[in-house]
């Protein structure tokens, strides 16, 4: 009798504990300072490199050299290139320069490149050819050059690689990594994504609900104003509580906006592009976005930095105006487990 009584009591307590654990896990959780895994980490955004590659590739080389050198000190966990890797995809020398710039990071610092409008084969009609790429890009979304120099086989070898779309192409990819005590998923969708590409992205995000999601795409917002293309993407992203960041370039502008998704989750949307066709201002093409995330302090400090300018003194190492240097406070990095 005593044994059965103790057994019933133990089962009751165990059941309560299980219920409480399940209930707790259904709520949002935030990393705490007590977690030894939680420490600040850095994300780096490489804005459009098309004119650095074309006019002064040493700007691009300096960016990735700095990332490689600082990867441990700054705890750099992922690098996103927001697209327009090159200006004219038919110019092979530009792809070779871009490949040379990114190659030092291979298997050392995980990175991902978005396909920008200039990276599509439709942009191969380099002047003085008489054609308008905008007339062809909707019907020709082939990326032969992009996939030749940044093939799927390159990324498949990395432990962070998750998947891709379409089959055997690196136009749209996702990667997984852990930083700040949080499991992350970073997914890229090509410029002006098709309905099929957005459907793929939606399936990936829905399947990884226990990971916070970073979306990397070329066109999404102009400064702090979302574009029609950005609205199409947002209408997908807002449905998922685990989406937390969107990074983009394309427009020569900088901005940040925060919108709430359908579940009340804040989505931090950051845009930056410094490209210029002005040769006297060519060093503008050498700036990075360095984003230090501190989960315990709930902040993300954003700096705009040029390793080339810092080294040579030819231009300011940092851009310090409000659009280029700011801190996001009360950063919400909670995850929903469902």
């Amino acid at each position: 009798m005593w044994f059965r009584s103790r057994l019933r009591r133990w089962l009751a307590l165990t059941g309560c504990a299980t219920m409480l654990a399940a209930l707790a896990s259904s709520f949002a959780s935030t990393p705490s300072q007590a977690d030894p895994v939680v420490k600040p980490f850095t994300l780096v955004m490489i804005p459009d490199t098309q004119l650095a590659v074309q006019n002064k590739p040493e700007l691009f080389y300096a960016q990735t050299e700095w990332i490689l050198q600082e990867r441990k000190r700054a705890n750099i966990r992922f690098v996103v290139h927001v697209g327009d890797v090159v200006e004219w995809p038919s110019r092979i020398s530009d792809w070779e320069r871009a490949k040379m710039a990114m190659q030092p990071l291979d298997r050392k610092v995980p990175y991902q490149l978005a396909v920008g409008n200039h990276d599509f084969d439709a942009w191969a009609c380099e002047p003085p050819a008489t054609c308008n790429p905008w007339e062809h890009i909707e019907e020709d979304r082939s990326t032969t050059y992009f996939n030749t120099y940044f093939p799927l086989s390159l990324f498949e070898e990395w432990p962070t690689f998750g998947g891709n779309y379409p089959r055997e192409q690196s136009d749209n990819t996702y990667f997984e990594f852990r930083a700040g005590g949080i499991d992350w998923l970073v997914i890229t969708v090509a410029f002006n994504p098709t309905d099929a590409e957005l459907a793929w992205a939606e399936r990936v995000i829905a399947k990884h609900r226990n990971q916070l999601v970073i979306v990397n795409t070329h066109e999404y917002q102009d400064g702090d104003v979302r574009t029609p293309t950005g609205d199409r993407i947002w209408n997908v992203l807002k449905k998922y509580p685990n989406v937390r960041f969107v990074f983009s370039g394309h427009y020569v502008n900088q901005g940040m906006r925060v919108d709430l998704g359908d579940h009340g989750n804040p989505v931090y949307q950051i845009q930056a592009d410094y490209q210029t066709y002005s040769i006297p201002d060519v060093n503008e093409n050498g700036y990075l976005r360095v984003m230090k995330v501190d989960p315990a302090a709930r902040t993300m400090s954003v700096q705009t930095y040029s390793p080339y300018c810092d080294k040579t003194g030819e231009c300011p190492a940092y851009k310090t105006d409000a659009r280029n240097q700011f801190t996001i406070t009360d950063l919400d990095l909670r995850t929903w487990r469902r």
Side-chain angles (χ1 to χ4, degrees):
M1 179 71 92
W2 172 85
F3 175 77
R4 286 199 297 271
S5 175
R6 291 293 297 269
L7 179 62
R8 281 197 298 269
R9 178 187 246 179
W10 180 82
L11 289 172
L13 289 172
T14 303
C16 288
T18 303
M19 289 175 62
L20 287 171
L23 184 62
S25 68
S26 69
F27 287 96
S29 63
T30 305
S32 68
Q33 187 65 59
D35 186 345
V37 179
V38 176
K39 62 179 180 179
F41 64 94
T42 301
L43 303 171
V44 178
M45 176 202 292
I46 304 177
D48 308 39
T49 54
Q50 62 206 85
L51 297 176
V53 164
Q54 174 179 278
N55 298 322
K56 195 171 182 178
E58 52 264 45
L59 296 169
F60 196 177
Y61 301 155
Q63 289 177 326
T64 54
E65 286 170 6
W66 179 85
I67 291 170
L68 187 63
Q69 292 169 2
E70 294 293 310
R71 69 188 188 280
K72 292 183 179 179
R73 188 194 66 81
N75 194 21
I76 298 174
R77 303 311 301 271
F78 208 90
V79 177
V80 294
H81 188 306
V82 297
D84 275 1
V85 180
V86 301
E87 175 74 355
W88 301 106
S90 58
R91 191 182 295 155
I92 300 303
S93 60
D94 285 6
W95 285 110
E96 291 173 343
R97 291 171 175 178
K99 181 70 173 178
M100 187 181 298
M102 296 302 298
Q103 202 162 29
L105 304 184
D106 290 354
R107 300 190 68 85
K108 295 182 178 67
V109 184
Y111 66 84
Q112 178 191 65
L113 303 101
V115 174
N117 52 295
H118 281 261
D119 301 321
F120 284 107
D121 295 349
W123 238 265
C125 54
E126 177 184 352
T130 55
C131 67
N132 182 354
W134 289 109
E135 295 177 352
H136 304 288
I137 197 168
E138 293 297 330
E139 60 192 42
D140 180 11
R141 291 179 64 83
S142 58
T143 52
T144 306
Y145 295 101
F146 181 88
N147 278 275
T148 297
Y149 287 89
F150 296 98
L152 182 62
S153 59
L154 168 67
F155 303 113
E156 284 179 323
E157 297 175 354
W158 302 353
T160 51
F161 178 75
N164 64 291
Y165 180 87
R167 185 179 178 183
E168 298 182 359
Q169 292 182 213
S170 55
D171 298 18
N172 307 272
T173 57
Y174 75 91
F175 294 78
E176 300 171 84
F177 66 98
R178 185 170 178 81
I182 299 168
D183 292 319
W184 294 88
L185 182 143
V186 55
I187 185 168
T188 183
V189 289
F191 170 77
N192 193 17
T194 64
D195 290 343
E197 288 171 323
L198 282 178
W200 168 81
E202 188 167 5
R203 290 194 299 272
V204 171
I205 294 170
K207 187 179 179 181
H208 296 82
R209 288 180 180 265
N210 289 340
Q211 293 165 281
L212 287 186
V213 174
I214 299 167
V215 178
N216 175 31
T217 192
H218 184 58
E219 181 199 349
Y220 181 84
Q221 66 195 66
D222 183 356
D224 54 10
V225 178
R226 212 165 38 231
T227 67
T229 294
D231 285 336
R232 286 183 58 239
I233 299 172
W234 171 249
N235 287 335
V236 170
L237 303 183
K238 70 177 184 177
K239 295 185 283 185
Y240 297 95
N242 52 331
V243 174
R244 200 57 85 248
F245 294 106
V246 182
F247 299 144
S248 64
H250 188 57
Y251 296 97
V252 185
N253 205 345
Q254 305 85 44
M256 196 277 287
R257 61 180 290 153
V258 183
D259 293 291
L260 296 182
D262 291 346
H263 298 266
N265 53 301
V267 181
Y268 307 95
Q269 300 145 84
I270 298 176
Q271 185 266 337
D273 180 14
Y274 304 95
Q275 64 174 301
T276 175
Y277 286 88
S278 168
I279 296 301
D281 299 323
V282 68
N283 290 331
E284 287 291 301
N285 294 287
Y287 285 94
L288 293 169
R289 274 294 172 89
V290 181
M291 300 172 285
K292 181 180 178 182
V293 181
D294 189 334
R298 300 184 63 197
T299 61
M300 183 167 82
S301 302
V302 178
Q303 289 187 309
T304 301
Y305 170 67
S306 169
Y308 178 86
C309 294
D310 196 12
K311 184 177 181 179
T312 66
E314 294 179 13
C315 37
Y318 292 91
K319 289 182 176 291
T320 57
D321 59 280
R323 283 184 173 270
N324 287 297
Q325 182 170 301
F326 55 91
T327 298
I328 299 173
T329 57
D330 296 323
L331 185 69
D332 189 341
L333 297 180
R334 292 175 293 174
T335 56
W336 280 258
R337 298 179 176 87
R338 297 183 174 185

